[in-house]
Amino acid sequence: MKSSTYLSWKSIEFWLLAFITLSVFTLLFHLGLLTFQIEAFILWFAAGVLIKRNYHTIHLESGPVATACGLILLGWSLLRTLTMHIQYGEDDLLTPLAPTFAILGLALIAIGFPGLQQRWKEVLCLAFSWIPVIFVPGIMALDAKISHYFLWYLGFDVTREGLKIIFREGELTAKVIEIYYACSSIGLLLVLLKLTIALCIIYNVPRQKQITLFSLATFIAFGLNTIRVALLGVLVDQENQVAFDYWHGNSGGQIFSNVAILVFGLVFYWLWIRIQSQQSNKNVKISNQELFRERT
Amino acid sequence: MQAWKKIRIVILASSCISIISLLGILQSGIDRFKPQNTEIFPKDLNFSKNWEFVGSSKIDLDTALQASDIQASRPGRRYQYLYLPDSDPCQIQEILSSSDDSKPCSGNYVNAEMIFFNQGTPVNSVEVLENILNVSVAEIEPNASIQSQVNVGFTMAFIHNNRSYLTSCINASGGTTVTRFQHIQNRNFHDVNPQRILTWIIGLNDLRDWRCLWTNLSAEIDATSNYTPSPLLHEFWQLWYAWWSNNFPEN
């Protein structure tokens, strides 16, 4: 019955949907809303792995209600983005979320409500790959507190006033650093959270381990950012402008995000893959493919 | 079911065409819809009968704000006024003395610099001040004070290089603000209401109206006498603020 609308090259729906998706993404790309960062690629890879696994269960069908909802969602996000872009550029809270809403709309048009319920993980991966960094004031306050305590433990004479950390307050050589949004943990946190989602989906990690992984991701993100803020503070304190510019700029920031991804990857390997391979050695020898097949 | 499948193909095809045409609109020139980069401040401005308009000149923002990342798309304007209340003898003297080399009324001149900000972000008036005047906050901080008045808002008063200054940013609605934080608070209070939220979600306007008229009033301090022009600046400010509040520029 439903075999006629498999994800196949031959159906007209497939080509129409492919063209629609392509034009939507070209539009969003020209508006400058698609950022191509490593965590986006990892989430696409996770979605691709899932689609390859469940190829035979995807039906390009959707009922009238789903199509209508999808078209409304897609149309709203595109039109709104166009009008806001014309008037206001990109200083808007909802505009960076346009890719996410567009993907949700496209998913509804392509696979409908039952399809969405079945394949929610792939849609989640794709929709999440463009979640922008939302600057939460509370996180910056938390950052300031943790960095303050960290520096104090290391033995520096620091006091904190809101988002500012003051070295040697009251003396002539006092130095102040203030935490702006670019230096808050939220960037690293989002990268690691996206990575966790992708890894949990690809490797079918059970719920309990998922929670452990998410907490570890948060811990690593905050920890590394604290180290970065402390490093920058110490460099400001020692008036080392060259080193400060290096670590504060793009290269320094990228070093920290790379280290965060590496550390998290090592933790994931140690916690999960090692255990999996040990188990497979202990039990009957299971081939790799069976390990990754989704348990139905 | 067959009927729906055919309808669906038609719907998909038409939405594909419409999205491609949206792309075409975008390509063909979205710049046509952008607001023009014309001047927004009038060349002469008579806002009060007590203040005589002397002259105005353009503030070129490309050079002034070059070193910072503040953006303002329209050129600013610097106005100069002379205080001539009705009972001022200086006015009569001006009329009587018709020779060309007569000195202008050595009186109370007030300069008003105006820049219109509409960039969708909060405005830090102090940072703008630093760039326009080429001073740093540390230099003026010792004698600067931020005052707040009921029904008007916040202003910052300070003295620099023998001139007395009064700086503020007139908001589209609500009081005037000086710091970035005040601007944010003001907009949160006045602009976050259900009607604006709805038009924001639809996409007709931004949630918060970030338009702001940066104003910098200054008057010279006469070093010889004990006279400080601060009361004069405040009086000018009341009238200036009232006029611009009623004639607030659109985009």
Side-chain angles (χ1 to χ4, degrees):
Chain A
M1 283 274 272
K2 292 202 170 186
S3 57
S4 59
T5 48
Y6 275 159
L7 194 62
S8 84
W9 306 96
K10 297 199 183 124
S11 60
I12 275 191
E13 285 105 339
F14 176 79
W15 286 108
L16 281 175
L17 285 166
F19 267 118
I20 292 179
T21 315
L22 200 62
S23 18
V24 166
F25 281 110
T26 317
L27 191 64
L28 290 173
F29 178 71
H30 273 287
L31 289 172
L33 288 168
L34 298 183
T35 56
F36 295 110
Q37 292 172 326
I38 189 70
E39 64 264 24
F41 291 142
I42 290 183
L43 278 172
W44 298 351
F45 179 73
V49 164
L50 277 182
I51 291 180
K52 184 171 176 293
R53 260 186 228 166
N54 305 309
Y55 194 56
H56 50 279
T57 64
I58 297 180
H59 306 292
L60 288 181
E61 280 187 351
S62 77
V65 179
T67 312
C69 287
L71 280 175
I72 290 175
L73 201 55
L74 183 64
W76 167 75
S77 74
L78 288 180
L79 283 174
R80 182 185 186 279
T81 312
L82 264 179
T83 56
M84 291 299 271
H85 184 83
I86 292 174
Q87 293 175 64
Y88 294 109
E90 281 144 38
D91 296 318
D92 181 40
L93 289 171
L94 282 185
T95 311
L97 284 176
T100 311
F101 287 117
I103 290 174
L104 282 174
L106 280 172
L108 275 176
I109 296 176
I111 53 181
F113 282 121
L116 197 64
Q117 205 176 11
Q118 247 189 340
R119 304 263 65 84
W120 64 274
K121 283 186 187 165
E122 287 96 322
V123 177
L124 185 77
C125 276
L126 288 174
F128 253 61
S129 44
W130 278 295
I131 289 278
V133 185
I134 304 173
F135 302 118
V136 183
I139 300 233
M140 297 206 290
L142 189 62
D143 271 328
K145 277 189 204 162
I146 300 178
S147 310
H148 169 58
Y149 287 138
F150 183 64
L151 282 167
W152 185 75
Y153 262 122
L154 287 182
F156 289 92
D157 174 16
V158 278
T159 49
R160 187 175 73 91
E161 188 185 309
L163 291 177
K164 293 189 185 142
I165 298 182
I166 308 165
F167 288 80
R168 292 191 300 270
E169 183 175 26
E171 296 182 23
L172 270 179
T173 51
K175 294 278 184 299
V176 181
I177 58 170
E178 184 167 1
I179 302 198
Y180 279 141
Y181 46 79
C183 298
S184 84
S185 307
I186 197 104
L188 273 179
L189 192 62
L190 269 174
V191 171
L192 286 184
L193 283 182
K194 287 185 190 174
L195 199 53
T196 329
I197 293 177
L199 287 174
C200 286
I201 284 182
I202 296 178
Y203 288 102
N204 291 316
V205 180
R207 183 56 55 108
Q208 216 177 18
K209 290 261 183 196
Q210 277 179 11
I211 298 177
T212 319
L213 278 176
F214 276 108
S215 343
L216 277 171
T218 317
F219 187 69
I220 293 176
F222 271 99
L224 274 172
N225 200 58
T226 309
I227 296 177
R228 182 170 184 235
V229 168
L231 175 68
L232 291 174
V234 167
L235 288 175
V236 163
D237 192 32
Q238 294 173 346
E239 296 183 12
N240 192 342
Q241 190 63 29
V242 173
F244 177 80
D245 283 336
Y246 177 77
W247 286 104
H248 191 237
N250 269 337
S251 23
Q254 279 171 6
I255 290 181
F256 270 93
S257 42
N258 286 345
V259 168
I261 296 179
L262 255 173
V263 167
F264 184 71
L266 285 173
V267 163
F268 180 73
Y269 172 76
W270 196 67
L271 266 191
W272 181 245
I273 302 201
R274 219 173 48 114
I275 296 179
Q276 289 296 89
S277 55
Q278 274 176 357
Q279 269 186 347
S280 76
N281 282 337
K282 248 199 284 181
N283 302 336
V284 179
K285 200 152 190 250
I286 312 174
S287 69
N288 259 349
Q289 274 199 321
E290 222 164 276
L291 192 67
F292 291 154
R293 188 179 298 157
E294 180 175 31
R295 301 179 189 102
T296 49
Chain B
M1 247 358 225
Q2 277 302 103
W4 167 242
K5 280 166 73 77
K6 293 203 176 107
I7 297 175
R8 181 167 176 241
I9 291 180
V10 171
I11 291 179
L12 287 181
S14 48
S15 46
C16 189
I17 293 173
S18 52
I19 292 180
I20 292 180
S21 58
L22 269 183
L23 192 62
I25 293 178
L26 191 66
Q27 292 279 55
S28 75
I30 215 169
D31 297 317
R32 261 188 295 143
F33 296 106
K34 274 215 172 103
Q36 307 292 326
N37 197 1
T38 53
E39 291 204 27
I40 204 170
F41 293 111
K43 286 205 173 61
D44 342 312
L45 183 57
N46 286 308
F47 71 103
S48 160
K49 58 181 174 53
N50 282 342
W51 292 87
E52 167 112 0
F53 173 71
V54 174
S56 78
S57 60
K58 197 165 88 153
I59 304 178
D60 186 14
L61 290 172
D62 291 327
T63 48
L65 294 179
Q66 204 179 30
S68 72
D69 37 297
I70 307 174
Q71 283 187 2
S73 49
R74 274 114 185 262
R77 199 135 200 109
R78 183 176 290 119
Y79 294 92
Q80 196 178 44
Y81 289 90
L82 176 62
Y83 185 49
L84 285 182
D86 293 329
S87 55
D88 201 303
C90 173
Q91 193 178 22
I92 306 171
Q93 185 188 1
E94 285 258 296
I95 299 176
L96 285 183
S97 68
S98 51
S99 57
D100 284 329
D101 54 349
S102 62
K103 275 192 253 178
C105 259
S106 66
N108 305 305
Y109 287 95
V110 170
N111 282 358
E113 291 168 332
M114 307 282 287
I115 303 176
F116 180 54
F117 286 99
N118 186 12
Q119 298 300 119
T121 49
V123 173
N124 185 352
S125 313
V126 182
E127 201 184 349
V128 179
L129 187 73
E130 286 183 312
N131 283 290
I132 297 284
L133 277 189
N134 265 329
V135 295
S136 78
V137 184
E139 285 174 41
I140 51 179
E141 214 167 12
N143 55 45
S145 66
I146 297 184
Q147 307 142 344
S148 93
Q149 287 166 279
V150 184
N151 286 341
V152 175
F154 296 96
T155 52
M156 179 162 109
F158 62 97
I159 295 175
H160 176 72
N161 268 355
N162 227 18
R163 290 186 78 89
S164 180
Y165 288 89
L166 193 72
T167 307
S168 184
C169 205
I170 305 178
N171 283 199
S173 66
T176 64
T177 60
V178 172
T179 64
R180 207 166 159 269
F181 183 63
Q182 287 166 353
H183 196 193
I184 295 175
Q185 262 191 327
N186 205 10
R187 287 349 301 164
N188 281 346
F189 182 72
H190 280 97
D191 287 341
V192 184
N193 54 50
Q195 193 199 6
R196 261 195 99 90
I197 292 179
L198 192 63
T199 48
W200 173 58
I201 290 181
I202 295 179
L204 293 173
N205 50 245
D206 207 352
L207 179 61
R208 291 173 288 187
D209 186 2
W210 293 112
R211 289 179 297 162
C212 171
L213 267 178
W214 182 82
T215 312
N216 188 23
L217 309 175
S218 62
E220 195 169 323
I221 301 178
D222 194 354
T224 54
S225 72
N226 259 343
Y227 173 70
T228 62
S230 304
L232 197 70
L233 279 183
H234 278 281
E235 193 179 316
F236 185 95
W237 170 241
Q238 298 288 341
L239 298 168
W240 193 243
Y241 166 75
W243 194 88
W244 279 105
S245 293
N246 291 330
N247 296 287
F248 203 84
E250 295 294 325
N251 272 330

